[in-house]
């Protein structure tokens, strides 16, 4: 668990560097910090360790999740452009420090062995996100989003805590191993019925974080109101960490009680798929569309949680990685275009603001297109295989009806993702050449190439996951 | 080491696309892509010289490991990069090579962003070739779905006034079809177990060792008796595995005994219909055809040529290559309905063509009508019906390209395609009139041209069929008469009679030498195929009898 310690230290160092260093170099330093902690994470490969009084466990699965989360953090930092040149209102040192702290929270969420640790991790991540959402202080929408996120998020945390309490009450342990032991040594009839309520409540608390319907109402507003760079962070890191936790709770810990929670989760999955996709089709704002698309992708990933097959964890990993790369690229392009269009058009985040991007910015347009194609699940992109593996799982479990809905919904998905491609390539508009930093370009291209390589040769990672 | 010719056929256009996309050689875009497709045709000629018509098996086979992933205790999945050609695909890849070079040759009207245009044409060419060459169902599916992207951009960027509507309609329609196919593919993949790969996994044989039919049977029995642990099972997407029902695991959803029923149809019947409709949207069959006229009307001429000449054929190819061998029983069961859909497509397309005032729309609807014959032939389950269907595919590839090029000729000159705006063109454009007359007569099924052979054999198969009612064949025959109606009517209105142009300023010059070359080439090809149909029948003969033996 060295990365957890390292990242916390790095965050504190970052805060102090804010006094001494130039703002531009902070970005590079933060990148180095994250790369360093990724290396520390990878060093534990093929070892199983217990940490902090057995409250956390690292194994290959948690390392994979940690690496994806830190990769997302890396992309976000590289895309961040040093948070603009506004000397008065932005505090890059603090932002980078908070990003690092929230990564710590995410790492706790993927490797917890004790429910308290899950709660602590979730709160570290969430509180950091509340702050970052509201970091655009002069923007009313950003403030509104932060407050909304905070209020709704606290409720969800309440659910989670109550669920933990009920589970503790019925199994007399907060440790996953203890819970599993007690559950296997108690006759099912003698288990108190509030255990099931506890499982469902914990599920709800976590499903809120990954914005599954009907707990998704905060998502579009918060995603839209938050500065785009933090929306990117939210939709990649929080989602991956959330899914790691859901998998750990529902499939690993309470997999034996599947019949008790499966109906609820099924219902939530189907609603998520339908609501996310249909609402996304109606959006005029590209940013809002991506918010709804993140809801719909939560639906696809929940499908594999429902299937609960031996390959589920590897499918969640693959899907998260594909989704992370594509989402980061699409938000990044949206961000630089919106920055350029601010002041030029009334709504810089609408699809219309992207009109004619391909004319003078072919590489941005290409990257955006690859990202949208991957999100839509078109072959030769990573997103296709993500969906493919999920659907394979479903077929192995004979879950035919949800697949039919999922497949129909991915046809709906084409419509709204292609709206972006239509704006970029088909519509005419005046966008001059947008200058981006060197780090931005590197991050953009590596994410793009990653998406394509994973799309052509998925075995590359499937053999590791 | 022998040259991997089939891979080269796919890679050369891809390379050309990369060169073009880099934008370094902007002025030579057309020449580069033409050069690439000529090299491709050279490779096709090399294939043709070494091709053996006496066998129905795959030739020039290339096979490499590609995707491999484990499902834990449920075994593993294997997908291979597996290419090969046989009697069905060989004619179609030659058609693809020729039609794409003709489309490139006639792309002079494209003035904007030429390098990206030709890059996309090359991508389209590569994915079309990939579709026809792939032996692995998953590999085919990837090419099949990827093909939509270049087509989408070609219509959406270089199309007419309603290009956005037409391109997204095309995309959503055909993607819905692909998703149907994906569902069937996943069901097949999870239900069937590859005996050869499983034998490798349990070290029953070593890589490179021969694997006989008895060995396969041993493995199949061992799996059915539970003697091989489920984590050693290997699922693959090889088309040959899906064609043998004995590979289907008895507890799986697609096994004939599975209890899965939805709305009176068993799982196998559903899978059949998913595949049938998925490919049918591409063909297109009525009622899933509405994307086609829109796409054609908005697409620039060379893209229309590729769309009608090659793209539509993949629908029928998918039926013959995958749907029938995978689900023979189900296909036979529904053959009467399939024939009915075919006959309705013929009649409906023809009636619509009769009512059209836009020349290009007329040709588009005539395409739907002619593709109906393909379905009629396939659904007959007779050797002559299938021969006719395959022949009709190639013949229509030639003729529809010719027709769309002819429409393009007049559109380039006046930017107007309304039939009623022209009259007596024969006096101004004699050469154009000649070749149009030839194309119209060939398309309406005049003996001596390729169109006749295809329609005749499809109808004959349908009449002789024991599985579908003769009424559909009669209706199909009626379609020929309607076809004569709209073609002759149009010819009379536009080319004969008193000379009249709606806009007196239109300058109608006769065909240029460049146009003549491709038009005459296609016209003569149709004539040749009509006089010597054995060129195609020699190729398909063994393949068709092999399929008949396999199914019955």
């Amino acid at each position: 668990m060295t990365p957890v310690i390292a990242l916390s230290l790095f965050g504190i160092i970052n805060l102090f560097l804010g006094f001494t260093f130039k703002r531009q170099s902070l970005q590079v330093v933060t990148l180095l910090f994250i790369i360093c902690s990724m290396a520390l994470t990878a060093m534990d490969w093929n070892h199983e360790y217990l940490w902090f009084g057995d409250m956390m466990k690292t194994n290959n699965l948690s390392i994979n999740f940690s690496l994806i989360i830190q990769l997302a953090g890396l992309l976000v930092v590289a895309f961040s452009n040093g948070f603009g040149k506004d000397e008065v209102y932005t505090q890059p040192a603090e932002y980078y420090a908070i990003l690092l702290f929230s990564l710590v929270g995410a790492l706790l969420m993927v490797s917890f062995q004790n429910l308290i640790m899950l709660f602590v991790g979730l709160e570290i991540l969430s509180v950091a996100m509340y702050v970052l959402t509201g970091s655009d202080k002069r923007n009313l929408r950003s403030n509104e989003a932060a407050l909304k996120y905070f209020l709704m998020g606290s409720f969800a945390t309440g659910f989670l805590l109550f669920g933990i309490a009920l589970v503790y009450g019925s199994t007399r342990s907060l440790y996953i191993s203890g819970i599993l032991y007690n559950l296997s040594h108690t006759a099912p009839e003698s288990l108190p019925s509030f255990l099931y309520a506890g499982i469902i409540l914990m599920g709800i608390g976590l499903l809120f974080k990954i914005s599954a319907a009907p707990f998704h109402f905060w998502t579009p507003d918060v995603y839209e109101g938050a500065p785009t760079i933090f929306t990117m962070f939210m939709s990649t890191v929080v989602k991956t960490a959330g899914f790691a936790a859901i998998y750990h709770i529902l499939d690993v810990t309470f997999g034996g009680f599947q019949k008790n929670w499966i109906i609820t989760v099924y219902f939530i999955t189907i609603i998520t798929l339908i609501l996310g996709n249909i609402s996304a089709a109606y959006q005029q704002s590209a940013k809002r569309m991506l918010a709804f698309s993140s809801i719909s992708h939560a639906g696809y990933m929940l499908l594999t949680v429902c299937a609960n097959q031996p390959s589920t964890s590897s499918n969640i990993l693959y899907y998260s990685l594909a989704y992370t790369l594509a989402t980061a690229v699409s938000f990044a392009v949206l961000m630089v275009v919106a920055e350029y269009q601010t002041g030029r058009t009334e709504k810089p985040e609408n699809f219309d603001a992207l009109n004619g991007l391909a004319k003078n910015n072919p590489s941005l347009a290409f990257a955006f297109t690859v990202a949208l194609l991957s999100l839509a699940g078109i072959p030769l992109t990573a997103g296709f295989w993500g969906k493919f593996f999920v659907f394979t799982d479903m077929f192995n479990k004979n879950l035919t009806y949800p697949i039919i809905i999922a497949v129909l919904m991915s046809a709906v998905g084409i419509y709204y993702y292609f709206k972006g491609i239509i704006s970029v390539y088909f519509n005419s508009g005046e966008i001059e050449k947008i200058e981006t930093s060197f780090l931005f370009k590197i991050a953009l291209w590596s994410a793009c190439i990653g998406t394509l390589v994973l799309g052509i040769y998925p075995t590359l990672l499937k053999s590791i996951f | 080491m022998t040259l991997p010719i089939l891979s080269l056929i796919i890679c050369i256009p891809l390379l050309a696309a990369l060169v073009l996309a880099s934008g370094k050689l902007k002025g030579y875009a057309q020449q580069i892509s033409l050069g690439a497709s000529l090299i491709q045709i050279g490779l096709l000629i090399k294939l043709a010289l070494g091709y053996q018509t006496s066998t129905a098996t795959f030739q020039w086979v290339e096979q490499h490991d590609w995707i491999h992933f484990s499902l834990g205790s449920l075994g593993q999945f294997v997908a291979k990069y597996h290419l090969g050609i046989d009697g069905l695909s060989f004619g179609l890849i030659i058609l693809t090579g020729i039609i794409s070079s003709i489309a490139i040759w006639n792309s002079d009207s494209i003035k904007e962003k030429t390098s990206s245009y030709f890059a996309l044409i090359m991508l389209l060419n590569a994915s079309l070739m990939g579709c026809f060459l792939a032996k692995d169902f998953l590999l085919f599916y990837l090419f099949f779905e990827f093909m939509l992207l270049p087509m989408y951009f070609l219509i959406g960027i270089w199309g007419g006034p309603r290009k956005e509507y037409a391109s997204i309609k095309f995309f959503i329609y055909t993607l819905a079809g692909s998703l149907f196919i994906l569902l069937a593919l996943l069901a097949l993949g999870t239900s069937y177990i590859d005996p050869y790969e499983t034998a490798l996994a349990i070290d029953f044989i070593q890589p490179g060792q021969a694997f006989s039919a008895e060995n396969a049977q041993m493995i199949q029995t061992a799996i059915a008796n539970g003697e091989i642990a489920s984590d050693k099972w290997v699922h693959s997407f090889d088309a040959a595995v899906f064609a043998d029902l004995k590979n289907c695991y008895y507890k799986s959803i697609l096994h004939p005994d599975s209890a899965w029923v939805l709305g009176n149809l068993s799982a196998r019947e559903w899978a059949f219909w998913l595949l049938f409709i998925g490919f049918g949207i591409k063909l297109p069959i009525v009622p899933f055809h509405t994307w086609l006229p829109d796409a054609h009307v908005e697409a620039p001429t060379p893209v229309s040529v590729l769309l009608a000449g090659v793209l539509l054929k993949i629908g029928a190819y998918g039926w013959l290559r995958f749907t029938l061998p995978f689900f023979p029983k189900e296909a036979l069961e529904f053959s009467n309905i399939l024939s009915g859909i075919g006959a309705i497509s013929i009649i409906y397309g023809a009636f619509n063509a009769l009512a059209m005032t836009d020349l290009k729309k007329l040709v588009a609807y005539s395409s739907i009508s002619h593709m109906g014959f393909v379905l009629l032939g396939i659904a007959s389950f007779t050797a002559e019906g299938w021969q006719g269907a395959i022949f009709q595919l190639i013949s229509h590839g030639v003729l529809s390209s010719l027709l769309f090029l002819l429409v393009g000729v007049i559109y380039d000159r006046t930017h107007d395609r309304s039939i009623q705006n022209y009259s007596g063109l024969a006096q101004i454009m004699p050469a154009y009139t000649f070749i149009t007359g030839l194309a119209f007569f060939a398309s309406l099924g005049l003996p001596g041209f390729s169109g006749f052979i295809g329609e005749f054999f499809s109808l004959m198969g349908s009449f002789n069929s024991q599985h579908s009612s003769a009424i559909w064949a009669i209706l199909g025959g009626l379609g020929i008469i309607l076809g004569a109606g709209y073609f002759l009517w149009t010819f009379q209105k536009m080319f004969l009679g008193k000379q009249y142009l709606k806009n007196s300023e239109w300058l109608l010059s006769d065909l240029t030498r460049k146009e003549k070359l491709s038009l005459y080439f296609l016209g003569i090809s149709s004539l040749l195929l009509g006089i010597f149909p054995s060129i195609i029948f020699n190729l398909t003969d063994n393949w068709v009898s092999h399929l008949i033996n396999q199914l019955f």
Side-chain angles (χ1 to χ4, degrees), chain B residues 78-96:
Chain B
V78 168
K80 292 209 154 152
Y81 176 82
H82 200 169
L83 306 178
I85 53 171
D86 63 0
L88 176 62
S89 51
F90 191 57
L92 289 167
I93 55 172
I94 290 186
L95 180 78
T96 311

Side-chain angles (χ1 to χ4, degrees), chain A residues 6 10 24 30 57 74 100 102 124 154 173 182 215 244 247 254 257 266 274 280 292 320 330 343 404 434 436:
Chain A
F10 288 150
Q24 276 75 17
T30 317
K57 188 164 92 179
L74 199 68
L100 292 180
S102 60
I124 294 177
S154 318
S173 175
N182 285 337
F215 317 111
Y247 170 73
F254 297 113
F257 293 85
Y266 252 152
I274 293 176
F292 278 107
S320 304
S330 46
I404 293 170
I434 299 175
T436 48

Side-chain angles (χ1 to χ4, degrees), chain A residues 89-111:
Chain A
Y89 289 102
T90 55
Q91 284 86 18
E94 278 82 345
Y95 294 161
Y96 286 128
I98 294 177
L99 281 183
L100 292 180
F101 291 143
S102 60
L103 282 181
V104 173
L107 293 194
L108 297 185
M109 277 172 78
V110 301
S111 42

Side-chain angles (χ1 to χ4, degrees), chain A residues 319-333:
Chain A
Y319 205 111
S320 304
L321 182 60
Y323 171 79
T324 297
L325 293 175
T327 311
V329 168
S330 46
F331 272 121
V333 174

Side-chain angles (χ1 to χ4, degrees), chain B residues 104-283:
Chain B
I104 293 164
W105 180 255
N106 285 290
S107 290
D108 293 336
S109 57
I110 306 293
K111 300 271 190 272
E112 282 178 358
K113 307 178 203 159
T114 44
S115 52
S116 11
Y117 170 82
F118 287 109
L120 286 170
I121 292 264
M122 287 282 97
L123 270 186
L124 184 63
N125 174 306
S127 46
L128 285 168
M129 284 294 185
C131 271
F132 290 130
L133 294 177
K135 265 193 80 185
D136 191 282
F137 196 23
L138 186 64
L139 186 65
F140 166 85
Y141 179 79
L142 291 191
F143 282 123
F144 182 76
E145 205 175 318
F146 183 75
M147 177 177 63
L148 303 181
L149 276 183
M151 202 58 186
Y152 170 75
F153 284 107
L154 283 170
I155 298 175
I157 299 181
W158 290 273
R162 289 170 75 229
K163 57 189 182 184
E164 275 135 52
Y165 170 76
S167 55
I168 196 76
K169 189 171 177 182
F170 161 78
F171 200 95
I172 291 182
Y173 250 93
T174 40
L175 191 107
S178 317
L179 289 174
F180 288 167
I181 297 170
L182 178 68
L183 276 179
L185 174 135
L186 284 167
L188 284 163
T190 45
S191 300
Y192 285 64
I193 299 163
D194 189 332
Y196 175 70
E197 296 291 335
T198 308
L200 280 181
I202 56 169
D203 293 327
F204 182 73
I205 53 165
Q206 298 306 314
Q209 203 176 326
F211 189 65
S212 66
E214 288 85 49
N215 293 148
Q217 217 156 23
M218 278 168 68
I219 298 282
Q220 284 160 354
T221 345
I223 289 171
N225 296 340
E227 288 159 14
I228 297 176
S230 68
D231 60 333
K232 293 283 184 213
W233 294 351
V234 184
H235 302 267
S236 81
F237 293 95
D238 197 329
V241 172
F242 295 156
D244 187 356
L245 194 54
K246 287 199 285 292
N247 291 327
C248 190
Y249 181 54
Y250 72 98
K251 273 185 194 161
S252 67
I253 182 166
L254 279 188
H255 196 266
D257 298 340
S258 101
W260 195 94
V261 172
L262 177 63
N264 283 334
L265 291 182
S266 72
R268 284 187 76 81
E269 288 164 340
W270 270 103
F272 166 74
W273 279 110
L274 285 174
L275 277 184
F276 176 78
I277 292 174
F279 287 122
I281 289 174
K282 202 84 180 191
L283 193 69

Side-chain angles (χ1 to χ4, degrees), chain A residues 309 392 400 414 422 456-457 459, chain B residues 66-67 74 77 152 175 260:
Chain A
Q309 297 281 305
T392 319
T400 25
I414 303 292
I422 289 175
I456 292 165
Y457 196 61
T459 320
Chain B
W66 171 44
I67 290 174
L74 292 166
F77 261 105
Y152 170 75
L175 191 107
W260 195 94

Side-chain angles (χ1 to χ4, degrees), chain B residues 464-494:
Chain B
N464 290 344
S465 169
Q466 298 151 355
H467 309 287
S468 64
S469 150
I471 190 103
W472 303 124
I474 295 169
L475 275 178
L478 201 66
I480 299 188
I481 301 170
L482 289 173
Y486 58 78
F487 276 126
L488 292 179
W489 216 334
T490 310
F491 192 71
Q492 200 181 2
K493 275 196 268 190
M494 286 185 76

